[in-house]
Amino acid sequence: MLIGLCGGICSGKHAIAEYLIQHQGFQLLELENRSFHRIADEPEDDRRLQASGFTNNERSQSSNLSFENADSLLDFATKRWQGLWVTTDIWEDATLDRFLQRPFFLLVSVDAPVSLRWERFAERCRRRKLEPPPLEKFVLWNDRHLYDKNIGRVYLTDRAQVRLFNSSSSFEELHAALATLNLADEDRLRPNWDQYFMQLASLAAQRSNCMKRRVGCVLVRERRVISTGYNGTPRHLRNCNEGGCPRCNRGEGGGVGLSTCLCLHAEENALLEAGRERIREGAILYCDTVLRF
């Protein structure tokens, strides 16, 4: 398993990596050249602070596995995919694309309130005997760091499979939350069968044309999809969202005029699509809407 951590300045990426190393047996994988695009008016001291997530002492305690480039790091982890690895050195989309192709890779984004991140950054400055930037300057720097069209990190964090909100005021609080979350759970890498079929049902719901709500359904037997369905007007009738069902388009409340509604349920459409001969004992219907009676 390889966990990649990304996020804003002082969001807690390195604190989480350190927890995984010390408490869950992960090893740190780093790039030898940790340089990245510099923001236009960013002071040299601030740039060094941003890049230096781990102190030298923390590096020596965690791991000395460093690589010339991202490809060699990924090649190393691929050959040892059953191990536990973590990296914070993912800077660009092209690199992330290659990592996400691996079934053992999990991208985790970390965020925190900007005021709290500024306080953390100021404390980091003071530990290194540097003058902390004012909050206003940090906010502007943070915005460019996240949203710059060429180097903005938000383009990475938006693709994360797991999103963490790190508002912890102490390492103890953060560690307790991470212990409960258990990022090392390999079930995060691949959905189980029930999760898989429910995701297919939710995907089918995106095809719904009913003006009232979106519902999707999947019929399964022996872990094989028999049929899918979504709610809307029957085949060969105008779609509900094109005016095909007057009752739905009038916006009438729940339970009103049901006898005039032309839309079929997602479950009905899935059953009609499958046909009687394909629905046998053991078939399971997955639907992404909870019914309330």
Side-chain angles (χ1 to χ4, degrees):
M1 183 181 202
L2 171 61
I3 292 180
L5 295 165
C6 63
I9 306 164
C10 284
S11 58
K13 303 180 294 294
H14 299 96
I16 293 172
E18 187 180 352
Y19 169 84
L20 292 173
I21 293 163
Q22 293 183 357
H23 297 277
Q24 296 195 335
F26 280 72
Q27 284 186 272
L28 180 68
L29 304 183
E30 300 180 293
L31 297 182
E32 293 174 359
N33 180 10
R34 307 185 72 245
S35 63
F36 48 89
H37 297 289
R38 182 173 178 177
I39 298 170
D41 60 350
E42 179 184 340
E44 185 69 24
D45 287 340
D46 289 351
R47 186 162 63 98
R48 288 203 308 270
L49 276 170
Q50 181 191 355
S52 59
F54 290 98
T55 66
N56 290 333
N57 184 49
E58 288 167 345
R59 289 176 189 274
S60 63
Q61 290 178 1
S62 59
S63 173
N64 59 355
L65 296 172
S66 58
F67 303 87
E68 183 178 352
N69 53 52
D71 286 335
S72 58
L73 186 156
L74 184 58
D75 183 62
F76 174 89
T78 299
K79 293 175 180 176
R80 299 162 181 81
W81 64 272
Q82 292 179 306
L84 296 174
W85 316 104
V86 61
T87 185
T88 60
D89 290 348
I90 299 176
W91 308 106
E92 55 186 3
D93 270 342
T95 298
L96 180 58
D97 286 338
R98 296 194 293 276
F99 277 64
L100 287 172
Q101 290 173 356
R102 299 298 197 272
F104 55 83
F105 177 71
L106 182 71
L107 181 64
V108 178
S109 70
V110 189
D111 199 5
V114 66
S115 59
L116 179 57
R117 293 194 284 114
W118 171 66
E119 291 174 5
R120 293 170 181 167
F121 187 80
E123 177 59 29
R124 186 183 293 182
C125 288
R126 287 188 283 268
R127 289 200 305 268
R128 291 164 172 79
K129 303 187 185 308
L130 297 171
E131 184 67 24
L135 175 60
E136 294 81 359
K137 177 183 176 182
F138 182 84
V139 169
L140 293 174
W141 178 25
N142 173 73
D143 284 349
R144 292 195 296 271
H145 178 269
L146 289 178
Y147 303 111
D148 184 277
K149 65 179 181 179
N150 296 316
I151 62 173
R153 304 293 165 76
V154 74
Y155 302 112
L156 305 182
T157 60
D158 280 352
R159 302 176 68 185
Q161 295 121 307
V162 177
R163 296 169 181 262
L164 303 184
F165 186 66
N166 175 25
S167 59
S168 302
S169 57
S170 66
F171 286 123
E172 291 76 14
E173 184 181 350
L174 174 62
H175 291 179
L178 291 172
T180 301
L181 186 61
N182 190 18
L183 287 174
D185 184 356
E186 293 192 355
D187 286 344
R188 297 183 182 280
L189 298 173
R190 188 184 188 199
N192 61 38
W193 285 109
D194 287 337
Q195 292 169 334
Y196 172 64
F197 292 127
M198 282 303 301
Q199 288 177 22
L200 290 180
S202 295
L203 179 61
Q206 299 305 304
R207 284 288 303 166
S208 169
N209 62 67
C210 181
M211 291 294 291
K212 300 293 285 187
R213 68 191 310 180
R214 284 177 167 173
V215 183
C217 176
V218 175
L219 268 175
V220 175
R221 188 181 68 247
E222 298 176 355
R223 295 180 178 174
R224 296 292 183 269
V225 174
I226 302 172
S227 67
T228 63
Y230 52 85
N231 60 324
T233 48
R235 186 178 298 179
H236 305 308
L237 290 184
R238 182 187 301 174
N239 287 339
C240 180
N241 62 348
E242 297 171 341
C245 178
R247 185 260 176 184
C248 289
N249 280 266
R250 285 194 298 268
E252 295 179 350
V256 178
L258 293 180
S259 62
T260 65
C261 184
L262 301 180
C263 289
L264 298 177
H265 290 278
E267 302 92 319
E268 290 178 288
N269 278 322
L271 291 167
L272 290 169
E273 181 70 22
R276 180 188 298 270
E277 68 280 358
R278 298 173 64 193
I279 304 173
R280 304 172 189 166
E281 184 178 354
I284 301 173
L285 187 150
Y286 292 84
C287 184
D288 73 339
T289 295
V290 177
L291 298 179
R292 293 181 174 84
F293 297 95

